[in-house]
Amino acid sequence: MMSNHSSATEFCLLGFPGSQELHHILFAVFFLFYSVTIMGNTVIIVIICVDKHLHSPMYFFLGHLSAVEMLITSIVIPVMLWGLLLHGMQTISLAACVAQLFVYLALGTTEFALLGVMAVDRYVAVCNPLRYNTIMNSCTCISVVIGSWVFGFLSEIWPVYATFQFTFCKSNVLDHFFCDRGQLLKLSCDDTVFTEFVLFLMAIFIIIGSLVPTIVSYTYIISTILKIPTASGRRKAFSTCASHFTFVVIGYGSCLFLYVKPKQTQAAEYNKIVSLLIFVLTPLLNPFIFTLRNDKVKQALRDGVKSCCQLLKD
C-alpha cells in the first residue's frame, strides 16, 4: 500500500497464479503459440510480397493485418513470458507501462480500421466486380492503409494521457500480465467514473464504427451471392470472403466483451481470459484462417515450398 499523496513510479505485475511448475508449463505453451504466430504471419507477409499472383488489394490489406497481429502480440507476450520465468513479481516502469498501453491500443484501433477496409474491399469485389480495379486502385489502397495507421495512433493519444493523469496511490500491484487500463484505473485514488464513461464512448465509436461498414458490406455481399444461379458460383464468391468473415467474428467478439462496457474495471480473472484471446488466440489463428481457407494463398505456399526445394537440390 502506498501513501495517499504519492503515485506509483513502477508497477508489479501479478501475472498468473499457481506453482512454478505450472508457470513453466504455461511458458512452454505460450512460447510455442508465440513462435507459431510470428512464423505464420511472417510467411504470409513474405509470400504476399514475393508472389505476383497475390499483388492485389485484398492481399495488400492482409499483409498489413498480419503485420499488426505480429506487433500486437509482440508488445505483450514477451513480457508475459518473462514474468512466467521469474520467481517473484515482475516489475515494469511507469514509462514502459505508458508505452505498452499506448502501442497496444493504437495497434488494436489500426486493426479495426483495416478490418473495416477489408470488408468494403470484399463488397466492391463481389457486388461491383467490373469496377473493382477502378475503385480499388493502388492510390486508394495506399491512402486507406496510411489512414488506418495514422487514425489508430492519433485516436489513442488522449485515452492513454487521461489514464495516466490519475494518481495511483492505492497500490502499485496490477493483477494482470501486462499494463491493462482497467486494472490501472482500479489503483487510482481519484474519481474515474467520468473518464471511464468517455473511454466507453470512444470504444463504441472505434469498434462499432468499424463494425457497421463490415455488417453493411456483408449484408450486400450475402444478398448478391444468394442471387448467383449456380452452386459453384455461390461457393466461389463466398470463398473470397470466408476468411475475412471468420477473423472478424473472432476479433470483434473478444474485443466487444473486453472494452465495450461502461465499467472498465471488470474482474481480473475475466480480463485475463479475454486478453489471452486477443493476444494469443487471434494472432495465432490468423495465418491458418487466411491460408487454409484461401486457394490462392495455398497455391502460393506450395509454389514457395517447391522453389525452396529446387534451390536446395541445386
Side-chain angles (χ1 to χ4, degrees):
M1 187 72 69
M2 304 176 66
S3 69
N4 292 333
H5 301 289
S6 63
S7 185
T9 56
E10 68 174 19
F11 297 97
C12 298
L13 304 176
L14 283 183
F16 297 96
S19 64
Q20 197 65 29
E21 290 75 18
L22 176 61
H23 284 188
H24 289 159
I25 294 172
L26 290 174
F27 174 86
V29 172
F30 291 138
F31 180 77
L32 175 63
F33 287 171
Y34 177 63
S35 301
V36 173
T37 298
I38 296 300
M39 288 188 292
N41 283 286
T42 300
V43 167
I44 287 180
I45 293 171
V46 170
I47 63 171
I48 288 173
C49 293
V50 172
D51 196 305
K52 62 181 180 180
H53 298 103
L54 301 182
H55 291 175
S56 65
M58 174 182 173
Y59 299 104
F60 176 69
F61 299 138
L62 175 58
H64 282 269
L65 182 66
S66 295
V68 169
E69 289 295 325
M70 286 176 58
L71 291 171
I72 286 178
T73 192
S74 296
I75 289 296
V76 175
I77 299 303
V79 175
M80 181 184 75
L81 292 174
W82 178 245
L84 289 170
L85 291 178
L86 297 176
H87 292 286
M89 282 194 295
Q90 183 181 12
T91 60
I92 184 169
S93 67
L94 179 63
C97 192
V98 173
Q100 187 186 55
L101 181 62
F102 173 71
V103 176
Y104 151 60
L105 291 175
L107 290 170
T109 304
T110 301
E111 181 177 25
F112 288 128
L114 286 173
L115 287 173
V117 168
M118 291 176 75
V120 174
D121 170 71
R122 291 300 82 206
Y123 159 74
V124 177
V126 175
C127 301
N128 294 283
L130 298 179
R131 299 181 59 201
Y132 181 72
N133 291 329
T134 303
I135 297 173
M136 303 302 296
N137 56 62
S138 58
C139 182
T140 301
C141 293
I142 293 170
S143 297
V144 294
V145 163
I146 292 174
S148 297
W149 283 93
V150 171
F151 172 73
F153 278 80
L154 290 182
S155 64
E156 294 300 336
I157 292 175
W158 184 87
V160 174
Y161 172 79
T163 299
F164 287 94
Q165 288 305 295
F166 293 115
T167 303
F168 305 108
C169 57
K170 289 182 179 179
S171 174
N172 70 333
V173 178
L174 286 172
D175 190 4
H176 217 301
F177 53 80
F178 79 107
C179 281
D180 175 68
R181 182 166 61 195
Q183 298 305 309
L184 281 167
L185 293 175
K186 289 175 73 172
L187 303 182
S188 175
C189 299
D190 306 316
D191 184 5
T192 63
V193 174
F194 176 73
T195 299
E196 287 188 56
F197 180 69
V198 174
L199 293 174
F200 166 68
L201 294 179
M202 292 189 70
I204 288 179
F205 173 76
I206 291 170
I207 298 178
I208 305 299
S210 61
L211 186 58
V212 167
T214 302
I215 293 173
V216 172
S217 295
Y218 273 102
T219 301
Y220 281 105
I221 287 170
I222 293 171
S223 175
T224 301
I225 290 175
L226 292 176
K227 294 176 183 177
I228 298 175
T230 62
S232 60
R234 290 193 295 269
R235 189 163 51 250
K236 183 179 179 181
F238 184 73
S239 66
T240 65
C241 310
S243 300
H244 176 259
F245 183 76
T246 304
F247 191 84
V248 164
V249 172
I250 297 172
Y252 278 100
S254 55
C255 287
L256 283 170
F257 277 113
L258 189 59
Y259 292 112
V260 183
K261 52 181 61 181
K263 193 68 175 174
Q264 296 285 314
T265 55
Q266 58 266 24
E269 293 76 16
Y270 169 89
N271 206 324
K272 288 178 187 178
I273 293 171
V274 180
S275 295
L276 284 175
L277 293 177
I278 295 172
F279 294 121
V280 178
L281 184 62
T282 306
L284 176 68
L285 292 178
N286 180 47
F288 298 102
I289 291 172
F290 284 100
T291 54
L292 297 179
R293 300 184 65 90
N294 191 297
D295 292 333
K296 281 190 175 182
V297 176
K298 285 191 288 187
Q299 185 59 49
L301 282 172
R302 283 193 288 265
D303 293 343
V305 172
K306 287 180 182 177
S307 299
C308 290
C309 292
Q310 199 73 32
L311 287 172
L312 291 174
K313 288 181 181 178
D314 295 340

